[in-house]
Amino acid sequence: MKTFSIYTLGCKVNQYESQQIRQFLEQSGLAQAGPDKIADLMVINTCCVTKIASAKSRQYLHKAQHQNPDAQIVLCGCLPVANINEFNDLGEKNLHIIKNRNNITFTLEQIMSDKNLQITHKQAAQHPDNITIKPIINTEIKEKTPIFPNLPVLTSFSDQTRAF
């Protein structure tokens, strides 16, 4: 996995969080793909404040799945929190739905460490707010799993004319 892209809808909170995700991924060694390039990892930071924002979030998810069926897709933001049941029937092996923003780094680290991400029952129990639509295999993890860090404090802004 070498490249990532981030698509952000909604408020300044989502814009800021997407910048944190960008910085985290860059610090982890991934490069941001250009606007018309297909990325290995696609992060969609959604909004559901209005029906239009919710519709755009869903449209971008379907576009991302169609554009690159092999990409790992992370869906975060307020849409998964507000409408979690609507994603139960997607059945995509590469879709990672984040309900709790504190689990973003855990999910991203797992994706980057193993392109064929497999989350065990024990890991899912430790991070119950994530819904990862993925086949489950039996792999052992240490009993004391460390607390995964939150997203980093920003040191730079990308594609912004003003910092928040």
Side-chain angles (χ1 to χ4, degrees):
M1 183 167 301
K2 297 178 183 179
T3 60
F4 71 92
S5 65
I6 301 174
Y7 184 76
T8 307
L9 294 120
C11 65
K12 288 182 180 182
V13 172
N14 281 8
Q15 297 292 328
Y16 188 87
E17 188 175 82
S18 289
Q19 290 293 323
Q20 288 179 296
I21 294 168
R22 175 200 49 82
Q23 183 172 303
F24 177 77
L25 293 172
E26 287 176 344
Q27 289 173 348
S28 299
L30 273 65
Q32 191 165 8
D36 294 330
K37 303 289 182 187
I38 295 175
D40 301 316
L41 170 64
M42 302 172 91
V43 178
I44 305 169
N45 199 345
T46 64
C47 178
C48 69
V49 173
T50 66
K51 284 185 179 183
I52 293 172
S54 293
K56 284 183 180 181
S57 296
R58 284 186 215 91
Q59 285 173 347
Y60 197 79
L61 170 62
H62 295 299
K63 179 181 176 183
Q65 290 172 326
H66 178 72
Q67 188 179 43
N68 187 3
D70 296 327
Q72 297 294 316
I73 300 172
V74 175
L75 191 71
C76 58
C78 56
L79 185 62
V81 175
N83 300 320
I84 199 69
N85 293 332
E86 78 175 85
F87 300 108
N88 290 342
D89 63 342
L90 288 178
E92 294 293 326
K93 64 179 181 176
N94 61 342
L95 178 61
H96 311 280
I97 300 172
I98 309 298
K99 184 177 176 184
N100 182 339
R101 77 172 297 283
N102 292 329
N103 294 335
I104 291 174
T105 55
F106 167 74
T107 303
L108 292 173
E109 286 174 348
Q110 292 295 309
I111 292 169
M112 288 184 290
S113 69
D114 181 10
K115 186 174 180 199
N116 297 315
L117 175 67
Q118 309 293 323
I119 293 183
T120 66
H121 289 292
K122 190 181 281 186
Q123 287 172 314
Q126 290 170 347
H127 300 279
D129 294 329
N130 282 8
I131 295 177
T132 300
I133 301 170
K134 196 75 169 163
I136 296 175
I137 62 169
N138 292 325
T139 58
E140 292 299 318
I141 62 170
K142 295 179 182 175
E143 282 300 315
K144 293 185 178 182
T145 302
I147 301 294
F148 290 93
N150 289 327
L151 291 168
V153 175
L154 284 181
T155 57
S156 67
F157 283 80
S158 174
D159 301 326
Q160 297 287 333
T161 56
R162 291 184 284 168
F164 297 113

